[in-house]
Amino acid sequence: DAGITQSPRHKVTETGTPVTLRCHQTENHRYMYWYRQDPGHGLRLIHYSYGVKDTDKGEVSDGYSVSRSKTEDFLLTLESATSSQTSVYFCAIRADPQETQYFGPGTRLLVL
Amino acid sequence: QQQVKQSPQSLIVQKGGISIINCAYENTAFDYFPWYQQFPGKGPALLIAIRPDVSEKKEGRFTISFNKSAKQFSLHIMDSQPGDSATYFCAASAAGGGNKLTFGTGTQLKVEL
């Protein structure tokens, strides 16, 4: 599992509430990514980070923000959750200098 | 716009048969093409990857075939086993810019006895 943990693993929330998902790695990798997985869409990149406090947007970043104050933690925040953000969220790290990305176990989020 | 198109959406193969999944891409800047395997309730796991300087890469029963001129690549699973039943994703990335992966939509493979 490349030393990646995600928390919580499951969450049910209501529309309009803020939600923060956490990704934690133990191997000091520089690059970290957040994806969402939806049927018929595969995995789509939300945001990624290339170092502490260095982040950039992905393909589906609207409605999401991220923060990385420590190398080991990458947080994904839904400022005001909507039903369209019901999904499975995966964190990944890139094992430098390779390009291989390793994925965490995922967080299943249901927005009612 | 889907930059990596994957087919078929689902596939049923008999045990011992060959499973073939195809992907096509549009962005000529892509230079890294991994395949991921995902079991229910788990995160995707890297299966095999290829770069465009080779036309084929084999690891055990898994082979990637790559056609740069056609902008296509495919995964072949030889001697398919029930344990291979999973969802398979192709992906692609370009050097620089964070090596962001663009995924295909996935193929659900079922290997029957």
Side-chain angles (χ1 to χ4, degrees):
Chain A
D1 62 357
I4 305 169
T5 57
Q6 293 185 231
S7 58
R9 294 293 314 280
H10 303 271
K11 186 170 182 65
V12 180
T13 191
E14 294 187 349
T15 297
T17 61
V19 176
T20 295
L21 308 182
R22 179 183 183 236
C23 178
H24 179 79
Q25 59 146 329
T26 60
E27 299 181 4
N28 212 35
H29 295 293
R30 180 182 170 199
Y31 283 84
M32 299 183 75
Y33 306 81
W34 276 108
Y35 292 86
R36 60 177 289 174
Q37 184 175 27
D38 305 287
H41 291 278
L43 289 96
R44 293 178 292 174
L45 182 66
I46 304 171
H47 282 280
Y48 72 100
S49 170
Y50 47 97
V52 173
K53 300 190 188 304
D54 293 322
T55 65
D56 203 352
K57 295 179 179 180
E59 178 187 355
V60 290
S61 59
D62 287 349
Y64 302 95
S65 63
V66 290
S67 65
R68 191 168 179 200
S69 58
K70 300 184 292 184
T71 299
E72 58 266 36
D73 289 326
F74 191 30
L75 304 180
L76 177 70
T77 298
L78 291 66
E79 301 291 347
S80 178
T82 67
S83 58
S84 65
Q85 293 175 313
T86 291
S87 187
V88 181
Y89 291 85
F90 287 99
C91 173
I93 60 92
R94 194 186 94 183
D96 291 327
Q98 306 169 28
E99 294 181 57
T100 302
Q101 291 188 24
Y102 296 93
F103 286 79
T107 294
R108 191 171 294 271
L109 176 67
L110 174 61
V111 183
L112 300 174
Chain B
Q1 183 181 7
Q2 184 67 37
Q3 291 194 55
V4 178
K5 295 183 178 180
Q6 183 171 348
S7 63
Q9 185 175 351
S10 62
L11 181 62
I12 299 175
V13 173
Q14 296 299 307
K15 179 183 176 182
I18 302 173
S19 304
I20 301 174
I21 304 171
N22 300 298
C23 284
Y25 63 97
E26 300 167 9
N27 187 348
T28 55
F30 287 152
D31 63 355
Y32 175 69
F33 302 89
W35 284 89
Y36 283 84
Q37 179 188 57
Q38 184 180 32
F39 294 103
K42 303 293 186 182
L46 179 70
L47 193 60
I48 186 172
I50 197 168
R51 294 190 181 278
D53 53 342
V54 296
S55 60
E56 186 174 282
K57 182 174 181 180
K58 184 176 180 180
E59 291 185 1
R61 296 185 294 111
F62 301 92
T63 299
I64 299 179
S65 297
F66 186 82
N67 185 330
K68 187 175 181 179
S69 61
K71 292 186 288 185
Q72 295 175 346
F73 58 111
S74 60
L75 176 69
H76 291 63
I77 306 174
M78 312 300 288
D79 186 26
S80 299
Q81 299 297 313
D84 297 330
S85 297
T87 301
Y88 293 82
F89 293 95
C90 62
S93 69
N99 293 103
K100 295 172 287 188
L101 283 173
T102 298
F103 282 84
T105 52
T107 296
Q108 197 161 4
L109 171 66
K110 182 176 181 181
V111 181
E112 293 183 336
L113 293 170

